[in-house]
Amino acid sequence: MAAALQVRRLGKRFGAHAVLREIDLAVREGEVTCIVGPSGSGKSTLLRCMAFLEAPSEGEITVYGAPLGFRVTESGERQRLPDSDVARVRRNIGMVFQQFNLWPHMTALGNVAEALRQVRRLPRREAEARAMAQLAKVGLAERARHYPSQLSGGQQQRVAIARALAMEPRIMLFDEPTSSLDPELTGEVLNVMRELARAGMTMAVVTHEIGFAATVAQHIVFLDDGRILLEGTPQSVFAQPWHPRLAQFLETYIDRGAAVLLQGAPA
Amino acid sequence: MTWRYVELLAIGAAVTAGVSIVAILLGLGLGVLVCSASLARSGAVRAAGRLYISFFRGSPLLVQLLMIYYLLPAAGINVPSLVAAVLGLALCTAAYQAENLRGGFLSVAPGLIEAAQMLGMAPWRILLRIRLPIALRLTLPAVLNEAIMILKASSLVSVVGVEELTRSAQNLATSTYRPIPIYAAAGAFYLILNRLLAGGGGVLRRMLG
C-alpha cells in the first residue's frame, strides 16, 4: 500500500548528541504504525520530526509526496521551506500529545471549535455543531461545557483527540497518548484509538502499551538508541524476540500482562 | 460647596476618565507588542523591545510628556494637547505592562502553542487567542495595578494643557479660597473612578475564565 508519510535517511542531533540516525520509515495509508522502544531511544523525537515540531538535522520527510519543512534539491542540498508551506503540508496531520495540551481558558467545546473558527473560518454555529459531533464520537458530548481542569486525564485526552480530528486530518500522530494517565483511565483513550483504527485512519503511535501495539498495529517499529533495530508485523516482531535488546525490552512488560505475547501473538 | 463646583469637577473627572481609559487600553495593546518583541527569537527585535522598556521605565513620565509636547512640534509634527497626553501616558504604561505580561507569557506551556501550530493557527492568532488570554489571566492583578497607577498619574497631563480633574480642582481652589472641600471632592472622584476600573478588571477576569 502507498506511503502516506515517508521518512528518508532522517537524522537528528541536539548539539553533538545524535538522537536519531539514518531512519527510513513509511507510514502506510490506512495502517496503524506503532513506534516502540526503551526510554531515550528517540521515539518521541522521531514523531515530533514527523510533525516538523523538531527540524530534522538530516534527511527528508514527505507527506503524500509533499516535502515537510525541507526540500531536497536535485543537487542533494536541503532547502528550508517557508512557514506557510509547512502549515499547508501539516493540514494533513493531526497530533495528540502526552500532556493533552488543551487550552485551559476554553471549554472542551471551545477547544475543539477553535481551529474550525480561526483557521477554517466557519461561522460560530457551524463550528460548534461540528465540534459537538466530534465530542460525541469520543463519548464526551455531555462534558462539552466543562473546562479542562474539570475533566479527568482520560477525558482531557479524548477532547484532544476530538480537537485534532475536527480538522479532518488524513494522518494522526500520537505521542505517548496514555503515558501520563492512570492505568484505569488508559483504557478509555485506547478504546477511542481502536475505534479510529477500525474506521481506517492512518496512524503513527509512539506508545509503551505493548498490548495495544500488538493487537491494533499492522506495523511495529522497534527503536533503540536512535536507530530502527527491527520492524515488521506484530507477529514477526513480538513472537520471535530473538534480538537481545528486544527481549530485554519486552521483559519489562511481562508484569503488565505481555507474557502472552512472548509466547506468540495472535496470528 | 455648591453644585456648580461639583459640576465643574465632574467635567474634569470625565476628561481624566477619557484620557486614562484610552491610554490604558492603547498602552496594554502596545505593551503586548513590546512584550512579544522582548521575547522574540530574533536578537535585533529582542534588543529593540528591551531598549523600549528601559527607556520608558527609566525616565520620568513628566519628562516624557513634555518631550512629546515640545519635541514633536519642533520636528514639524503638530500634536493637540489631548493627543500628546494620551500618547505620553500610553507609551509609558506600555513599558510597564510589557514587563507585567512577560512572566505570564513565559509561563504558557510550549505544548499549548505546538497544539495550535499543528491545527494550522497563524502566529498572530496564537498570540491573540491562546498566549495573551493565558498570560493576562495570570498577570491580571499586576496589570490592573498599573492601570490604577496610570489613572492617578494622569494628573500630570495638565502640564501639556489638558484641564483634567486635578487641574480643575486647583483652579477652583484658587478662585474660591476653599481648597479643603474641593480637594477632598477631587479625591472622592478619583476613588470612584478607581472603583470603576477595578470593577472592569473583575469583568475581564470572569471573561478569561
Side-chain angles (χ1 to χ4, degrees), chain A:
Chain A
M1 228 185 276
L5 190 151
Q6 181 88 47
V7 177
R8 288 190 198 86
R9 304 202 65 74
L10 180 135
K12 176 67 184 174
R13 269 175 281 107
F14 289 114
H17 179 53
V19 182
L20 294 171
R21 281 172 290 183
E22 293 174 13
I23 303 283
D24 282 297
L25 174 64
V27 175
R28 286 185 292 269
E29 180 83 37
E31 285 193 2
V32 177
T33 300
C34 278
I35 303 168
V36 299
S39 295
S41 57
K43 320 182 282 294
S44 282
T45 305
L46 173 57
L47 199 77
R48 289 172 59 80
C49 283
M50 285 157 69
F52 206 66
L53 290 173
E54 301 283 355
S57 314
E58 289 148 32
E60 184 189 26
I61 293 170
T62 53
V63 180
Y64 292 101
L68 176 61
F70 288 102
R71 194 168 66 94
V72 178
T73 60
E74 296 195 356
S75 58
E77 272 172 68
R78 291 197 331 150
Q79 199 176 46
R80 177 75 162 82
L81 294 164
D83 287 346
S84 59
D85 190 85
V86 172
R88 191 175 53 76
V89 178
R90 265 191 191 146
R91 239 175 268 165
N92 295 299
I93 304 173
M95 178 117 179
V96 174
F97 301 85
Q98 182 180 351
Q99 298 300 334
F100 329 135
N101 291 340
L102 293 182
W103 302 308
H105 58 300
M106 296 181 193
T107 61
L109 188 69
N111 267 276
V112 181
E114 181 66 11
L116 291 172
R117 294 189 58 199
Q118 299 290 326
V119 180
R120 287 280 188 84
R121 314 298 294 157
L122 294 183
R124 175 196 280 269
R125 195 176 289 268
E126 197 186 336
E128 290 191 345
R130 285 201 196 184
M132 206 57 179
Q134 285 299 341
L135 283 174
K137 273 191 196 163
V138 298
L140 287 172
E142 77 285 4
R143 292 278 187 273
R145 302 286 170 191
H146 287 59
Y147 283 89
S149 58
Q150 300 166 320
L151 299 171
S152 73
Q155 289 171 337
Q156 288 188 51
Q157 192 60 298
R158 282 148 67 197
V159 173
I161 293 172
R163 177 174 69 175
L165 288 176
M167 295 302 280
E168 298 169 318
R170 298 172 72 182
I171 306 169
M172 283 286 283
L173 305 181
F174 294 84
D175 185 9
E176 302 202 26
T178 59
S179 292
S180 49
L181 296 176
D182 293 341
E184 56 180 327
L185 299 178
T186 297
E188 63 186 60
V189 172
L190 293 181
N191 282 340
V192 167
M193 291 170 65
R194 263 190 208 104
E195 233 7 84
L196 202 55
R198 206 165 335 187
M201 175 60 82
T202 305
M203 295 160 65
V205 186
V206 168
T207 186
H208 291 289
E209 296 294 330
I210 299 301
F212 173 85
T215 54
V216 178
Q218 283 79 35
H219 187 192
I220 301 283
V221 176
F222 179 68
L223 217 60
D224 185 48
D225 197 23
R227 290 176 192 274
I228 294 178
L229 213 56
L230 291 168
E231 66 173 316
T233 61
Q235 291 90 328
S236 70
V237 174
F238 289 134
Q240 301 156 44
W242 48 268
H243 199 288
R245 282 298 289 144
L246 180 63
Q248 194 184 5
F249 173 69
L250 289 178
E251 202 126 289
T252 61
Y253 286 93
I254 289 175
D255 285 355
R256 302 173 64 178
V260 63
L261 298 172
L262 294 171
Q263 288 141 24

Side-chain angles (χ1 to χ4, degrees), chain B residues 92-109:
Chain B
C92 176
T93 192
Y96 286 92
Q97 296 293 32
E99 278 298 274
N100 285 338
L101 287 168
R102 210 155 80 98
F105 275 119
L106 286 174
S107 73
V108 177

